[in-house]
Amino acid sequence: IFSWAVLEPEEGKYDFSFLDQAMDNVYKNGGKVVLATPSGARPHWMSDKYPEVLRVLPDRRRALFGARHNHCFTSPVYRQKTAQINRLLAERYRNHPALGAWHVSNEYGGECHCPLCQEAFRTWLKNKYEGDLERLNHAWWTDFWSHRYTSWEQIESPSPIGENGVHGLTLDWKRFVTDQTADFMHNETIPLREITPDVLVTTNFMAFYPGLNYWKLREETDVISWDNYPDWHKPGEQIHVAVRTALLHDMNRSFLQKPFMLMESTPSHVNWKEYNKLKRPGMHKLSSIQAIAHGSDTVQYFQWRKSRGGSEKMHGAVVDHCGHEHTRVFREVAELGELLQKMDGVVGTMPHNKVALLYDWENRWALEDLRGLQKNDKKYEETVQQHYKPFWQRGIGVDVLDFHQDLSPYSLVIAPMMYLMEKDNIERLKQYVANGGTLVCTYVTGEADENDLCWLGGFPAGGLKEVFGLWAEEIDTLYPGETNQVTWQEKDYTAQDYCEVIHPDSAQTLAVYGKDFYAGSPALCVNQFGKGQAYYIAFRDDGAFVDDFYGKLADDLELPRALPHLSEGVTAHLREGDGERYVFVENYNAQPVCVPLDKVYQNVETGQMVSKELLLESFGVAVLKEQ
Ligand code: GAL
């Protein structure tokens, strides 16, 4: 990866000797190579000769040569050059026994605002709006503040020195950036797929990276991979970080509903955070097995050995500058390797989850752009995580989907803060409930259509008022520290941030607000619709309510759990296939715990049988095979 200047030191002059040697050495030592294409960083000569490959920033300044990930995704020259070097790599290593998979580029991201991208954006828009500028003007509501376009040429990407308040434009630009990146990736994969049709293609994703809708990029990949660098030991946030990371692993597995690859992780620490704390003993094993528990079939590192210079010379690695293996980190990696060798049976297995939690990039973009509520941070991501944690804590598996996936296999669908809802998706939700599903939505549901135009006739949009049996009249945004009280099943809970005022029609009120001018009015409702039921949570809470609420729902719906009793900060996950079931038990507490077991298992690491209870040390993890 990142070796283009070595592979092609001058235009058209190639030298693959270093890579030949690396591939041969890995093979001789029994390994495989996930070989990257070098487009993430290009040689100097290319920017000198073809300035169009350099990225243009939102304020329309063209970047200088430097850093990495700084190219234009539209530039015909860059597309031709990347396809060419990829072709040469594929031709050279097509029969090399070490070639294991293709890793296309690196962490695609960013956007370019150059004239070529502007033109491509206009073409994309003409295509989307079928050449009808009036349709675009309507979708973007451009009469507001006199923003009407009278020619396609007037359209420019959003900019801090230009248009930045037309929500439809921003949303379409973000969609375009995703499509253009996916198209760039497609162009990179053409020679790889042609010359090495049997070699898997992936690219590495970055968690909830805001700039790309990964549901689109997944279509270019055979296997999903992602880079995982959590703040494991941030004081007071241990469990929070474990839950967030679990959610991200679940999303990456859900993209293709297949096992994925943990492309990058550090065995010790990173170097780019504010505080680069070491992983405590045990955490490396725990965090690696966590990835596998949620569906990864690999554990890989950035980086094997620290480079002597450059900005990552102090980033954690398997081999340190000392150059030998007598280090704590090396030993921990070797120990993990021994365990992984005993886990061949896990490869290819999957969980079969009954809960779907929706996290939707377009909804996120629209919420971020929305002027209203809490202006700068709507906390969409945190809210999705808050609705995920009760399941994590109970060992109940969750698939994390966007709004376009098939919901029929699930007993429970949760769509927190789903503000942006297009007609087709509303219909699908209706069908899901009508056919017997249980749906949970929250405040700000169904307020805008796919163009970010408000739905008229009362929220939640379209037929959803009938599904939930209520309508939402207004929403109160609370200042930090302000709270309301919600009483549910004779217990008081704390409402914060948002309290929506809703009016039940056919819905049954389950909880009410305790304070303010809407005291006594409903805060939680349920409605029977067709064969199913729909819950509407009108407020955000501090986590205690959603925990109790989903705990009860999990019991009511008899959702399967990996283990029956898990104490705070301990979780368990299931992978199954070929008649075998593996349970992964993880302890994120700094103290040891005793986990009750309901069956007999074999501890894959020790080979010993365990039943009744399992003792886990602090940050301990066990892989159990059901007997
Ligand atoms: C990743 C990147 C790697 C390396 C790593 C450091 O985002 O793909 O090349 O920079 O971060 O943590």
Side-chain angles (χ1 to χ4, degrees):
I1 198 166
F2 303 129
S3 318
W4 202 338
V6 174
L7 302 177
E8 191 179 359
E10 286 173 41
E11 188 171 16
K13 197 175 149 216
Y14 300 99
D15 178 4
F16 290 95
S17 52
F18 120 85
L19 200 50
D20 289 350
Q21 204 190 353
M23 296 284 286
D24 292 350
N25 278 342
V26 171
Y27 181 63
K28 271 189 230 142
N29 285 284
K32 287 266 182 190
V33 174
V34 181
L35 185 58
T37 66
S39 63
R42 54 173 193 284
H44 218 309
W45 58 257
M46 202 187 297
S47 315
D48 299 343
K49 184 161 177 196
Y50 308 103
E52 71 167 51
V53 301
L54 291 163
R55 202 168 269 187
V56 170
L57 309 174
D59 65 4
R60 307 309 193 248
R61 282 176 303 151
R62 199 178 278 277
L64 302 177
F65 176 81
R68 57 176 175 171
H69 303 136
N70 51 6
H71 50 269
C72 168
F73 286 114
T74 306
S75 158
V77 169
Y78 202 53
R79 286 178 172 225
Q80 189 262 323
K81 292 285 179 200
T82 47
Q84 166 76 1
I85 190 85
N86 293 4
R87 178 168 292 281
L88 292 174
L89 285 170
E91 279 168 354
R92 191 164 190 95
Y93 299 113
R94 67 197 300 174
N95 295 320
H96 198 292
L99 182 63
W102 289 111
H103 168 323
V104 182
S105 200
N106 183 65
E107 297 188 337
Y108 280 124
E111 49 188 50
C112 174
H113 297 257
C114 75
L116 292 166
C117 286
Q118 302 295 346
E119 213 34 60
F121 181 42
R122 287 176 203 125
T123 305
W124 184 94
L125 291 169
K126 280 182 197 158
N127 205 14
K128 173 169 179 181
Y129 294 100
E130 296 172 331
D132 185 347
L133 196 56
E134 272 320 291
R135 264 185 63 192
L136 176 144
N137 274 310
H138 181 269
W140 293 3
W141 216 248
T142 53
D143 279 340
F144 186 78
W145 286 356
S146 262
H147 287 202
R148 167 167 287 271
Y149 295 99
T150 52
S151 85
W152 294 95
E153 283 61 46
Q154 293 168 338
I155 300 173
E156 283 270 345
S157 59
S159 168
I161 57 164
E163 198 67 273
N164 50 42
V166 176
H167 294 173
L169 162 66
T170 313
L171 202 50
D172 273 346
W173 169 252
K174 289 187 168 162
R175 289 173 175 138
F176 163 78
V177 169
T178 287
D179 284 359
Q180 198 70 348
T181 308
D183 191 55
F184 182 87
M185 176 169 172
H186 183 76
N187 185 65
E188 279 214 56
T189 61
I190 291 171
L192 310 180
R193 293 195 186 283
E194 179 195 315
I195 299 163
T196 56
D198 299 329
V199 181
L200 296 181
V201 167
T202 189
T203 188
N204 47 346
F205 291 167
M206 297 177 277
F208 286 127
Y209 172 68
L212 292 172
N213 181 353
Y214 285 144
W215 285 94
K216 288 269 177 98
L217 250 70
R218 82 187 167 135
E219 288 159 19
E220 296 297 329
T221 67
D222 301 321
V223 56
I224 296 296
S225 68
W226 81 286
D227 300 345
N228 181 32
Y229 296 105
D231 280 307
W232 280 114
H233 302 288
K234 203 165 180 186
E237 294 199 15
Q238 193 97 12
I239 309 282
H240 178 82
V241 172
V243 172
R244 181 175 193 274
T245 310
L247 166 64
L248 286 165
H249 285 312
D250 280 343
M251 182 170 73
N252 279 282
R253 186 196 61 248
S254 303
F255 282 137
L256 291 177
Q257 294 289 1
K258 283 204 298 204
F260 61 93
M261 297 168 82
L262 178 63
M263 182 61 83
E264 290 185 26
S265 63
T266 176
S268 47
H269 60 94
V270 296
N271 71 333
W272 46 267
K273 296 200 177 183
E274 204 52 35
Y275 302 95
N276 297 292
K277 196 174 168 98
L278 295 178
K279 278 182 175 168
R280 310 336 268 171
M283 183 46 86
H284 165 242
K285 182 168 154 193
L286 173 58
S287 57
S288 302
I289 298 296
Q290 181 195 35
I292 297 186
H294 289 269
S296 181
D297 273 356
T298 74
V299 175
Q300 292 157 258
Y301 302 106
F302 177 85
Q303 52 191 339
W304 162 248
R305 183 167 183 172
K306 291 181 179 175
S307 85
R308 193 168 171 201
S311 64
E312 292 182 325
K313 58 181 177 288
M314 293 303 176
H315 189 290
V318 178
V319 181
D320 213 321
H321 291 299
C322 65
H324 58 68
E325 70 273 39
H326 307 295
T327 60
R328 180 182 71 90
V329 169
F330 193 96
R331 275 194 299 276
E332 288 200 14
V333 173
E335 273 165 33
L336 177 74
E338 279 169 26
L339 170 57
L340 293 181
Q341 277 183 340
K342 297 177 185 164
M343 287 171 61
D344 280 357
V346 172
V347 174
T349 57
M350 282 284 284
H352 301 293
N353 297 328
K354 300 311 284 174
V355 181
L357 175 63
L358 307 193
Y359 172 83
D360 188 278
W361 255 270
E362 296 202 350
N363 183 56
R364 170 202 185 147
W365 292 337
L367 278 174
E368 275 167 6
D369 220 20
L370 179 70
R371 314 252 168 114
L373 303 172
Q374 283 177 348
K375 184 162 159 268
N376 293 323
D377 190 5
K378 314 284 189 298
K379 298 204 179 93
Y380 176 49
E381 207 176 288
E382 287 88 333
T383 305
V384 170
Q385 184 174 326
Q386 192 189 56
H387 286 249
Y388 173 85
K389 187 178 173 197
F391 300 95
W392 179 90
Q393 185 53 73
R394 288 168 176 80
I396 299 170
V398 175
D399 286 351
V400 181
L401 310 176
D402 82 347
F403 208 170
H404 298 269
Q405 311 312 313
D406 179 16
L407 304 175
S408 59
Y410 301 97
S411 323
L412 174 62
V413 170
I414 304 165
M417 295 182 78
M418 198 59 80
Y419 157 86
L420 198 77
M421 282 198 178
E422 62 187 81
K423 211 167 175 208
D424 289 356
N425 282 336
I426 292 174
E427 274 315 305
R428 286 185 326 105
L429 271 192
K430 275 171 81 171
Q431 285 310 318
Y432 169 74
V433 182
N435 292 336
T438 296
L439 172 68
V440 180
C441 286
T442 69
Y443 49 91
V444 308
T445 290
E447 297 195 348
D449 70 5
E450 68 277 18
N451 297 313
D452 207 355
L453 296 181
C454 287
W455 284 102
L456 302 180
F459 304 146
L464 282 182
K465 282 192 290 297
E466 290 84 74
V467 175
F468 291 105
L470 53 82
W471 79 283
E473 187 184 350
E474 51 187 344
I475 183 159
D476 197 11
T477 304
L478 308 190
Y479 283 97
E482 277 190 328
T483 58
N484 203 314
Q485 181 192 309
V486 169
T487 310
W488 178 58
Q489 300 204 318
E490 291 165 23
K491 190 169 161 190
D492 292 339
Y493 296 92
T494 304
Q496 59 192 35
D497 299 343
Y498 302 122
C499 295
E500 204 170 55
V501 180
I502 55 174
H503 302 286
D505 176 9
S506 56
Q508 182 195 348
T509 298
L510 301 178
V512 292
Y513 291 112
K515 292 199 283 195
D516 223 316
F517 70 91
Y518 39 87
S521 79
L524 171 72
C525 287
V526 65
N527 190 47
Q528 300 303 317
F529 182 78
K531 294 188 207 142
Q533 51 184 347
Y535 288 88
Y536 196 93
I537 305 174
F539 62 103
R540 182 183 283 165
D541 86 304
D542 60 6
F545 167 76
V546 286
D547 189 49
D548 285 350
F549 172 75
Y550 287 118
K552 178 167 185 323
L553 212 48
D555 289 344
D556 292 351
L557 297 173
E558 296 177 1
L559 298 174
R561 300 172 187 226
L563 286 180
H565 303 292
L566 296 166
S567 54
E568 179 83 21
V570 180
T571 188
H573 297 277
L574 201 66
R575 286 182 71 165
E576 47 192 320
D578 281 343
E580 294 187 336
R581 282 159 66 92
Y582 293 89
V583 178
F584 299 77
V585 198
E586 304 148 44
N587 174 22
Y588 291 92
N589 297 295
Q591 308 81 35
V593 292
C594 189
V595 186
L597 302 176
D598 57 338
K599 293 182 184 142
V600 180
Y601 297 92
Q602 183 180 37
N603 184 323
V604 172
E605 187 167 20
T606 63
Q608 285 168 350
M609 292 298 165
V610 272
S611 58
K612 295 204 177 72
E613 59 181 32
L614 171 78
L615 193 67
L616 283 182
E617 61 216 23
S618 71
F619 309 136
V621 60
V623 183
L624 306 179
K625 187 173 170 189
E626 198 176 302
Q627 296 303 294

